[in-house]
Amino acid sequence: MRKLIAKTTFTLGVLLIFGNVYGQSASQFKSDFLYRINLIREKGCNCGVKFMPPAPPLTWNNKLQDAAMGHAKDMARKNYFDHTSKDGRSMEDRIVFAGYTFKGFKSFAIGENIASGQTSIAEVMDGWFKSEGHCKNLMNPDFKEVGVAMYKNYWVQDFGGRQSFSAEQQRLIKSGRYRMVQEKGSGHD
């Protein structure tokens, strides 16, 4: 029950932040981001000198949004700007802690864009698409989902992509005739 209350309070806090900052609802915030991202992904674009071909549309993921909000708040409260938290947590640590996990999936990909000082969704998106590395994250076809948060002009955009095993692969795994092998150095178990 305590977890439910905390999650409800966090979600309500996020709704109030989005409503107060943008004068729009959380669903409008999500829709605006998805529209802007997917409009470019549909057409493809240049990221620096490299053309990135069209990519499938992203969908919103609340767990990625929770990870993004946690990092935006942490950067604002501790006055820093980095993909590594002051306590040493990486993007992967924060995303997995928020519940976006890799166990049970055939593949797992994550990425993160951060920004600071922009005052609108249009401004932050323009900046990310003009930056080669950020643009490549936005256009990466391995990413299927996104969650974005803004807190006190700190913006965090977390990406994820997980591919499930096929029904046949799941059947083979359960029967013991198909085995998952961990790559050396992947750090995932």
Side-chain angles (χ1 to χ4, degrees), residues 30-159:
K30 292 175 187 181
S31 294
D32 196 4
F33 261 110
L34 286 175
Y35 173 77
R36 290 173 184 277
I37 294 166
N38 290 329
L39 184 66
I40 304 294
R41 282 176 69 96
E42 181 181 358
K43 298 175 186 175
C45 71
N46 286 324
C47 293
V49 296
K50 181 176 180 175
F51 178 75
M52 300 295 288
L58 294 175
T59 59
W60 194 267
N61 182 284
N62 289 329
K63 290 176 182 177
L64 291 171
Q65 179 186 10
D66 290 348
M69 180 56 78
H71 192 47
K73 283 183 173 184
D74 191 59
M75 287 192 295
R77 289 177 179 154
K78 295 178 182 169
N79 194 31
Y80 72 98
F81 184 72
D82 200 323
H83 289 284
T84 302
S85 300
K86 286 277 191 176
D87 61 7
R89 288 176 300 136
S90 67
M91 163 195 56
E92 181 178 0
D93 296 332
R94 293 187 304 271
I95 289 173
V96 170
F97 182 76
Y100 194 84
T101 60
F102 45 83
K103 288 191 183 232
F105 290 91
K106 185 177 183 176
S107 66
F108 179 79
I110 55 173
E112 180 173 79
N113 287 342
I114 60 175
S116 179
Q118 294 80 1
T119 58
S120 69
I121 293 171
E123 186 180 0
V124 77
M125 287 300 297
D126 281 349
W128 280 332
F129 272 113
K130 288 177 183 171
S131 162
E132 185 176 353
H134 294 105
C135 180
K136 285 180 178 178
N137 271 346
L138 284 157
M139 294 303 296
N140 187 334
D142 291 337
F143 296 145
K144 313 291 185 212
E145 301 171 297
V146 67
V148 186
M150 186 278 232
Y151 184 79
K152 293 188 178 178
N153 289 336
Y154 283 88
W155 300 80
V156 179
Q157 185 176 55
D158 283 335
F159 300 94

